[in-house]
Amino acid sequence: AAIVEYSEDAIIGRTLDGIITSWNPAAARMFGYSSKEIVGKHIDLLTPEDRADEMISILAKISAGRSVEHLETTCIRSDATVFPVSVTISPIRDEKATVVGASVTCRDVTELKHAAEYTRSLIEAALDPLVTISPYGKITDVNEAAVRATGTPRNKLIGTDFSDHFTDSDEANRLYRLVFTRGMAVDYPLTLRHRNGTPTEVLCNASPYHDTRGNVLGVF
C-alpha cells in the first residue's frame, strides 16, 4: 500500500468492464481528478476517442491473463489536454486465479518526448551528413543532410549496407570496424556516391554510441 501511495507513477485499478476501482495520489496529480471524483467512473474518461480500438485489444490480452508492458500511447487530463504516456497493464486475479481486473501504471513521458524532439531538431540542423550504423554495418538512421548527399530518401537508406553508398565498399567497411577496435576514426577519407553516380570526397569521423548500461549499440 505504501509503495502505491508514494509512487511517482500513476497506478490505477480497474475492472474488466473498465470501471476504476482505485486511484493513487500520483494519478490525481497526473490526470487532475481526485479519487472521489474518478473512482466508480469508466476509464474511457482518460482515453482519447481515436485510441478506443487500442483499448479493446489491450482488454483482450488482459482477459487472457497476459500483461502489456511499456505501451506508448496518449491520455486525457481533466482539463481536456492530451499528453503522451508509457503504460504497463497487468491482470489482477482473485483467489481462484481468475482474472477479475487490471492494474494500470502510467508514466508521463512529455518531457522525454520534448527532449527527443529537441535532439532530433539539432541532428536535422547539422549541415554535415549524420548516419548511425548497426554493428553489422546496416544504416539505422540518417539526417536530412545525408539524404541530400546521397540523393536517396530516408526510408530507402535505412536498412541498407553503409558500404553500398561509397565507391570503395571495402574501405567503408573498414571505417566502422575500425571504430570497434580503436574506439574512433578521425578524418577517414572516403568517396561518397550520389544516387545519380556523382562522387563526393568526404572525411568521416566516427565513434561508438551506447545504451544506458554502456553496451555498444552501433557507430555514429
Side-chain angles (χ1 to χ4, degrees):
I3 290 170
V4 172
E5 184 74 8
Y6 295 106
S7 171
E8 293 185 2
D9 293 334
I11 300 177
I12 305 163
R14 53 159 290 181
T15 66
L16 292 179
D17 294 329
I19 302 303
I20 295 171
T21 56
S22 63
W23 187 259
N24 74 340
R29 293 192 298 271
M30 186 179 296
F31 291 96
Y33 295 102
S34 68
S35 180
K36 289 182 179 179
E37 289 175 312
I38 200 73
V39 170
K41 301 289 181 63
H42 202 281
I43 202 164
D44 280 355
L45 276 174
L46 314 177
T47 307
E49 290 183 6
D50 62 354
R51 297 285 180 169
D53 290 344
E54 181 180 75
M55 292 300 108
I56 292 172
S57 174
I58 289 171
L59 179 59
K61 291 180 181 180
I62 296 302
S63 298
R66 296 159 58 194
S67 296
V68 176
E69 297 182 357
H70 308 303
L71 171 70
E72 297 290 327
T73 186
T74 55
C75 286
I76 305 176
R77 292 191 175 94
S78 60
D79 62 3
T81 58
V82 177
F83 65 105
V85 293
S86 176
V87 179
T88 296
I89 308 174
S90 304
I92 297 174
R93 302 174 185 272
D94 63 14
E95 64 277 4
K96 296 180 181 179
T98 302
V99 177
V100 294
S103 172
V104 183
T105 303
C106 298
R107 175 167 294 181
D108 186 342
V109 294
T110 302
E111 290 186 7
L112 289 175
K113 290 286 186 182
H114 288 167
E117 290 169 1
Y118 175 68
T119 302
R120 189 75 210 187
S121 70
L122 293 179
I123 291 171
E124 293 300 344
L127 299 179
D128 291 328
L130 302 179
V131 182
T132 55
I133 313 163
S134 76
Y136 307 103
K138 299 288 186 181
I139 293 175
T140 54
D141 198 7
V142 298
N143 69 344
E144 191 59 32
V147 171
R148 292 193 299 269
T150 59
T152 304
R154 187 190 309 269
N155 63 338
K156 299 293 185 181
L157 282 171
I158 293 174
T160 62
D161 287 330
F162 173 73
S163 59
D164 286 350
H165 304 281
F166 297 88
T167 56
D168 190 332
S169 60
D170 289 338
E171 277 299 304
N173 279 325
R174 185 173 178 273
L175 164 65
Y176 80 84
R177 288 173 183 163
L178 193 65
V179 175
F180 290 115
T181 57
R182 296 188 181 178
M184 68 172 64
V186 179
D187 290 342
Y188 193 96
L190 289 172
T191 304
L192 183 68
R193 185 177 58 246
H194 193 277
R195 191 178 185 181
N196 63 13
T198 303
T200 302
E201 300 301 320
V202 296
L203 292 175
C204 297
N205 296 293
S207 59
Y209 65 97
H210 308 78
D211 63 15
T212 55
R213 296 181 179 180
N215 299 312
V216 175
L217 296 178
V219 174
F220 175 73

